[in-house]
Amino acid sequence: MKQEKTQVSLTASQIAGVYIGAVIGAGFASGQEIWQFFGLLGRGGFLGLMLSSVLFAAFAFLLLELGRRLAARSHLEVVTQVAGRFWGSFLDAFLTVSLPATLMVMLAGAGAGLAEQYSVPVFVGSTAMMLATIITVLMGIQGVVSAISLMAPFLLGIILLICVLALRVRVVDWSWALASVKPGMSWLMSALSYVAYNLLLSVSILAPMGAVAERQAILWGAVLGGLGLGISATAVNVAVLSQGPAVIGCDVPMLLVAKKALPHATWVFTVLLIVEIYTTAVASLYGFGARLAPRDPATFERLTVITGCVALVGGQVGFTRLVAVIYGTMGYVGAAFLLILTWWAIRDVKSRPH
């Protein structure tokens, strides 16, 4: 695990690719997140998606830039700098626990997805995903960046393909969605909640990436990443809305879209789901290893293998209740972190000499 800037210098496209791959996970691929945060708002949801794209870019830049300034090897340096020693310790502990929990969910999800589509035993699918994740992470930051950034265009391409084909089947009519809006929902709060929910775990991969990139690459990487996330989320929203009231109560709205858009090739959606699970799993496992063994390659390697195996077992024996609790609080903790990060950025600007 080598992070020295002299050995690695990331490009803007690599940064954007890893950022997109880390944020786009199983919840995104299913369409459930987009539906809950934006689809229910009808036309207003698109305003929320535009704001989300801007916020994703802005906060990614702040985190990457902090990683560059601090030469961060994990999220620890960044959260401590932003939140102080006391609150930074709390955020560090929460993130450190959330990373292997997220990995556990990803491995379980990979097994369940392959079992449902191809009748592959759940343990076999989960094990295959675990091995692919471990091998990638053992290649260090450069291997992680290369693997995830190469997957990002593939992910975006499949998402856009499914969504374009979906619109050939049905025309979007969001009047029905407005009738389903929960009281108190607004596009502004939905955008803020969505970014807070999704950005928190990406701190663990953005911080060390910033340490091995130049400022220009960081700026454009954040912009391209935010734009890519905004476009793909908008495409998913349009596709889901095109299905009409049938998506209400549907656990995997994008599977419904795929069945109508690609009736003879629904395997494409399974590939999309597996690849998105892979990118999230890799980012989570690397972030965890980088946090607990930032300067000891041998310990990092052992920890990577052990964590992958424990997560595999955890996914089989039903530890997902613990994960549900963590995920339930992630939005609140993420919102608090983004407020703290915003306040830090304002103070940092004011403290600079004019």
Side-chain angles (χ1 to χ4, degrees):
M1 188 185 73
K2 299 178 181 179
Q3 293 196 137
E4 287 79 6
K5 186 173 285 190
T6 56
Q7 294 177 308
V8 183
S9 184
L10 304 184
T11 64
S13 60
Q14 287 177 317
I15 292 172
V18 174
Y19 185 31
I20 292 170
V23 172
I24 293 180
F28 188 105
S30 70
Q32 188 60 239
E33 282 184 7
I34 305 299
W35 162 246
Q36 292 294 334
F37 282 98
F38 304 107
L40 283 170
L41 295 172
R43 288 185 178 89
F46 291 95
L47 292 175
L49 285 165
M50 291 174 60
L51 177 59
S52 295
S53 183
V54 173
L55 292 176
F56 272 128
F59 284 118
F61 173 76
L62 289 177
L63 293 170
L64 287 161
E65 176 63 11
L66 263 173
R68 184 187 71 85
R69 291 190 198 179
L70 301 171
R73 290 178 176 267
S74 72
H75 64 254
L76 177 62
E77 295 91 338
V78 169
V79 297
T80 302
Q81 175 71 19
V82 171
R85 182 171 298 180
F86 178 77
W87 290 112
S89 297
F90 169 75
L91 286 169
D92 171 44
F94 183 83
L95 279 170
T96 303
V97 171
S98 298
L99 289 168
T102 299
L103 174 64
M104 184 174 64
V105 173
M106 294 301 107
L107 297 183
L114 290 174
E116 182 176 346
Q117 293 295 319
Y118 303 108
S119 299
V120 176
V122 172
F123 186 76
V124 173
S126 297
T127 302
M129 179 60 69
M130 179 202 69
L131 292 174
T133 302
I134 288 176
I135 290 171
T136 304
V137 172
L138 289 177
M139 292 189 291
I141 185 66
Q142 192 164 14
V144 169
V145 168
S146 298
I148 301 182
S149 61
L150 286 174
M151 292 294 181
F154 175 75
L155 292 174
L156 296 180
I158 293 183
I159 290 173
L160 292 176
L161 172 64
I162 293 176
C163 295
V164 168
L165 293 177
L167 292 180
R168 294 179 60 186
V169 178
R170 297 191 62 164
V171 178
V172 177
D173 174 18
W174 38 62
S175 59
W176 62 271
L178 292 174
S180 303
V181 176
K182 299 176 182 177
M185 283 189 68
S186 71
W187 62 267
L188 176 60
M189 291 307 300
S190 289
L192 293 174
S193 300
Y194 182 67
V195 173
Y197 175 81
N198 281 282
L199 194 66
L200 188 62
L201 286 179
S202 66
V203 177
S204 296
I205 192 68
L206 290 176
M209 276 205 307
V212 290
E214 302 298 333
R215 197 171 192 274
Q216 190 74 3
I218 286 174
L219 173 61
W220 287 108
V223 171
L224 291 174
L227 186 62
L229 288 169
I231 291 174
S232 55
T234 300
V236 170
N237 192 45
V238 170
V240 170
L241 285 172
S242 72
Q243 302 308 302
V247 299
I248 298 177
C250 181
D251 291 332
V252 188
M254 278 296 285
L255 180 57
L256 179 64
V257 174
K259 285 180 177 179
K260 294 185 178 180
L262 300 166
H264 303 296
T266 52
W267 59 267
V268 172
F269 175 78
T270 304
V271 172
L272 172 66
L273 187 63
I274 294 300
V275 172
E276 291 186 342
I277 286 174
Y278 166 75
T279 57
T280 302
V282 168
S284 299
L285 182 56
Y286 179 83
F288 184 69
R291 168 62 187 91
L292 296 185
R295 292 179 173 82
D296 186 346
T299 302
F300 176 86
E301 292 171 0
R302 289 194 296 270
L303 183 63
T304 296
V305 174
I306 292 171
T307 303
C309 293
V310 171
L312 175 66
V313 174
Q316 307 300 314
V317 300
F319 282 173
T320 50
R321 290 186 178 181
L322 171 62
V323 178
V325 173
I326 294 174
Y327 270 40
T329 59
M330 195 172 293
Y332 296 105
V333 177
F337 177 68
L338 294 189
L339 285 174
I340 294 171
L341 182 59
T342 302
W343 178 241
W344 176 89
I346 293 172
R347 287 186 303 162
D348 183 63
V349 171
K350 287 183 177 180
S351 65
R352 293 180 185 178
H354 297 286

Coordinates of all heavy atoms in Angstrom, one line a residue, residues 283-314:
A283 N -14.3 0.4 -2.3 CA -14.0 1.7 -1.7 C -14.2 1.5 -0.1 O -13.4 2.1 0.6 CB -15.0 2.7 -2.2
S284 N -15.1 0.7 0.3 CA -15.3 0.5 1.7 C -14.2 -0.2 2.4 O -13.7 0.1 3.4 CB -16.7 -0.2 2.0 OG -17.8 0.5 1.5
L285 N -13.8 -1.3 1.7 CA -12.7 -2.1 2.3 C -11.4 -1.4 2.3 O -10.6 -1.4 3.3 CB -12.5 -3.4 1.5 CG -11.5 -4.4 2.0 CD1 -11.7 -4.8 3.5 CD2 -11.4 -5.7 1.2
Y286 N -11.1 -0.6 1.2 CA -9.8 0.1 1.2 C -9.9 1.2 2.3 O -8.9 1.4 3.0 CB -9.6 0.8 -0.2 CG -8.3 1.6 -0.2 CD1 -7.1 1.0 -0.4 CD2 -8.4 3.0 0.1 CE1 -5.9 1.7 -0.3 CE2 -7.2 3.7 0.2 CZ -6.0 3.1 -0.1 OH -4.8 3.8 0.0
G287 N -11.0 1.9 2.4 CA -11.1 3.0 3.4 C -10.9 2.4 4.8 O -10.2 3.1 5.7
F288 N -11.4 1.2 5.1 CA -11.2 0.6 6.4 C -9.7 0.2 6.7 O -9.2 0.5 7.7 CB -12.1 -0.6 6.5 CG -12.1 -1.3 7.9 CD1 -12.7 -0.7 9.0 CD2 -11.5 -2.5 8.1 CE1 -12.7 -1.3 10.2 CE2 -11.5 -3.1 9.3 CZ -12.1 -2.5 10.4
G289 N -9.1 -0.4 5.7 CA -7.7 -0.8 5.8 C -6.8 0.4 6.0 O -5.9 0.4 6.8
A290 N -7.1 1.5 5.2 CA -6.2 2.7 5.2 C -6.4 3.4 6.6 O -5.4 4.0 7.0 CB -6.7 3.6 4.1
R291 N -7.5 3.3 7.2 CA -7.7 3.9 8.5 C -6.9 3.2 9.6 O -6.3 3.8 10.4 CB -9.2 3.9 8.8 CG -9.5 4.3 10.3 CD -9.0 5.7 10.7 NE -9.2 6.0 12.1 CZ -8.2 5.7 13.0 NH1 -7.1 5.2 12.6 NH2 -8.5 6.0 14.3
L292 N -7.0 1.8 9.6 CA -6.4 1.1 10.7 C -4.9 0.7 10.5 O -4.2 0.4 11.4 CB -7.2 -0.2 11.0 CG -8.7 0.0 11.4 CD1 -9.3 -1.3 11.8 CD2 -8.7 1.0 12.7
A293 N -4.5 0.7 9.2 CA -3.1 0.4 9.0 C -2.5 1.3 7.9 O -2.2 0.9 6.8 CB -3.0 -1.0 8.6
P294 N -2.5 2.7 8.2 CA -2.1 3.6 7.1 C -0.6 3.6 6.7 O -0.3 4.0 5.6 CB -2.4 5.0 7.8 CG -2.3 4.7 9.3 CD -2.8 3.3 9.4
R295 N 0.3 3.0 7.6 CA 1.7 3.1 7.3 C 2.4 1.8 7.3 O 3.6 1.7 7.2 CB 2.4 4.1 8.3 CG 2.0 5.5 8.1 CD 2.7 6.4 9.1 NE 2.4 7.8 8.8 CZ 1.3 8.5 9.1 NH1 0.4 7.8 9.8 NH2 1.1 9.7 8.8
D296 N 1.6 0.7 7.5 CA 2.2 -0.6 7.6 C 1.6 -1.5 6.5 O 0.6 -2.1 6.7 CB 2.0 -1.2 9.0 CG 2.7 -2.5 9.2 OD1 3.2 -3.1 8.2 OD2 2.8 -3.0 10.3
P297 N 2.3 -1.7 5.4 CA 1.8 -2.5 4.3 C 1.4 -3.9 4.7 O 0.4 -4.5 4.2 CB 2.9 -2.5 3.2 CG 3.6 -1.2 3.5 CD 3.6 -1.1 5.0
A298 N 2.3 -4.6 5.5 CA 2.0 -5.9 5.8 C 0.7 -6.1 6.7 O -0.1 -7.0 6.5 CB 3.2 -6.5 6.6
T299 N 0.6 -5.2 7.6 CA -0.7 -5.1 8.4 C -1.9 -4.8 7.6 O -2.9 -5.4 7.8 CB -0.5 -4.1 9.6 OG1 0.6 -4.4 10.4 CG2 -1.8 -4.1 10.5
F300 N -1.7 -3.9 6.7 CA -2.8 -3.5 5.8 C -3.3 -4.8 5.0 O -4.5 -5.0 4.8 CB -2.4 -2.4 4.8 CG -3.4 -2.1 3.8 CD1 -4.3 -1.1 4.0 CD2 -3.3 -2.7 2.5 CE1 -5.3 -0.8 3.1 CE2 -4.3 -2.3 1.5 CZ -5.2 -1.4 1.8
E301 N -2.4 -5.5 4.5 CA -2.7 -6.7 3.7 C -3.4 -7.8 4.6 O -4.4 -8.3 4.1 CB -1.4 -7.3 3.1 CG -0.8 -6.4 2.0 CD 0.5 -6.9 1.5 OE1 1.0 -7.9 2.1 OE2 1.1 -6.2 0.7
R302 N -2.9 -8.0 5.7 CA -3.6 -9.0 6.6 C -4.9 -8.5 7.0 O -5.9 -9.3 7.0 CB -2.7 -9.2 7.9 CG -1.4 -10.0 7.7 CD -0.8 -10.5 9.0 NE -0.4 -9.3 9.8 CZ 0.8 -8.8 9.8 NH1 1.7 -9.2 9.0 NH2 1.1 -7.8 10.6
L303 N -5.1 -7.2 7.4 CA -6.3 -6.7 7.8 C -7.4 -6.7 6.6 O -8.5 -7.0 6.8 CB -6.2 -5.2 8.2 CG -7.4 -4.5 8.7 CD1 -7.9 -5.1 10.0 CD2 -7.1 -3.0 9.0
T304 N -6.9 -6.5 5.4 CA -7.8 -6.6 4.2 C -8.4 -8.0 4.1 O -9.6 -8.1 3.9 CB -7.0 -6.2 3.0 OG1 -6.6 -4.8 3.1 CG2 -7.9 -6.4 1.7
V305 N -7.5 -9.0 4.2 CA -8.0 -10.4 4.0 C -8.9 -10.8 5.1 O -10.0 -11.3 4.9 CB -6.8 -11.3 3.9 CG1 -7.3 -12.8 3.9 CG2 -6.0 -11.0 2.7
I306 N -8.5 -10.4 6.4 CA -9.4 -10.8 7.5 C -10.7 -10.1 7.5 O -11.8 -10.7 7.7 CB -8.6 -10.5 8.8 CG1 -7.4 -11.4 9.0 CG2 -9.5 -10.6 10.1 CD1 -6.5 -11.0 10.2
T307 N -10.7 -8.8 7.2 CA -12.0 -8.1 7.1 C -12.9 -8.6 6.1 O -14.1 -8.7 6.3 CB -11.7 -6.6 6.9 OG1 -10.8 -6.1 7.9 CG2 -13.0 -5.8 6.9
G308 N -12.3 -8.9 4.9 CA -13.2 -9.5 3.8 C -13.8 -10.8 4.3 O -15.0 -11.0 4.0
C309 N -13.0 -11.7 4.9 CA -13.6 -12.9 5.4 C -14.7 -12.8 6.5 O -15.7 -13.4 6.4 CB -12.5 -13.8 5.9 SG -11.3 -14.4 4.6
V310 N -14.4 -11.9 7.4 CA -15.4 -11.6 8.5 C -16.7 -11.0 7.9 O -17.8 -11.4 8.3 CB -14.8 -10.7 9.5 CG1 -15.9 -10.2 10.5 CG2 -13.7 -11.4 10.3
A311 N -16.5 -10.1 6.9 CA -17.7 -9.5 6.3 C -18.5 -10.6 5.5 O -19.8 -10.6 5.5 CB -17.3 -8.4 5.3
L312 N -17.8 -11.5 4.9 CA -18.5 -12.6 4.2 C -19.3 -13.4 5.2 O -20.5 -13.7 4.9 CB -17.5 -13.5 3.5 CG -18.0 -14.7 2.8 CD1 -18.9 -14.4 1.7 CD2 -16.8 -15.6 2.3
V313 N -18.7 -13.8 6.3 CA -19.5 -14.6 7.3 C -20.6 -13.8 7.9 O -21.7 -14.3 8.1 CB -18.5 -15.1 8.4 CG1 -19.3 -15.8 9.5 CG2 -17.4 -16.0 7.8
G314 N -20.3 -12.5 8.2 CA -21.4 -11.7 8.8 C -22.6 -11.6 7.9 O -23.7 -11.6 8.4

